[in-house]
Amino acid sequence: MKILGIMLAMAAIVGGADSRAWDAGKPLSVKVYGDSISTIYFPILRKDLAPEFEASHACWQKAKKCNNGQTQAILEHLPGYLRDTGQVDVITFNSGVHEIANGRAFVNGACTSIGTKVSPDDYRVRLNKIFDALKPRTKLGIWVDTTQIPPQYCAPPGALAQFNSVAEQAARDHGFWVLHTDSKWFDPDHIHPSLHAADHLAHLIEGCIRSAWKGEETAVCTR
């Protein structure tokens, strides 16, 4: 009876963790959805996650650097992305710089107007549609906050925080975790990360994937 009790207890433990267990012979699958920022950190992230996780980018284009682009572009190509994604263990998702940045307003060294390319309300609607499509495809979803928008992109003060807040709420409404990134090591004049900054971002995302998979929150990776 004692042995039977131990076996039942072990079965309960294994059964409860079945969807989150790691089989050393079969890496867990990670699919990255992201704009041009992700093209820089993705190769580092893929290397950092191995061998427990096997990461690939959701972009189905035959390109050297896969880029899902802005939210509207993601929606337009979503059927193709989803066919390629299938069912995966983890999805990370970010798209935001294109919606906030208003770089064409920067003329002759000054902003001729201040504003975002997309309104926060339109951004929310687009994100909700994307999250609706991604949620059934994964056991664990993680939203990755958008990084810095330099002054020459002519966004209003506080726009980055506002858009990240919109995205975080949409993510949580769909059961996604939220990774609160930072722009450490970014050149203050560049919207894209340097290799040093990309390495930092990759480590943040890797850490969030590993902790969230175990159901453990951290200071920057929360439910």
Side-chain angles (χ1 to χ4, degrees), residues 17-75:
D18 182 63
S19 65
R20 297 298 171 94
W22 174 55
D23 178 351
K26 185 178 180 182
L28 297 166
S29 54
V30 177
K31 189 68 73 171
V32 174
Y33 279 75
D35 52 32
S36 54
I37 305 295
S38 71
T39 68
I40 303 172
Y41 68 67
F42 173 70
I44 305 168
L45 176 64
R46 180 172 54 187
K47 181 179 179 180
D48 288 349
L49 284 170
E52 298 93 339
F53 297 85
E54 183 176 8
S56 58
H57 205 288
C59 178
W60 50 265
Q61 303 167 43
K62 301 299 181 182
K64 185 176 181 180
K65 290 186 176 181
C66 251
N67 178 1
N68 297 115
Q70 63 191 42
T71 50
Q72 186 59 41
I74 291 176
L75 285 172

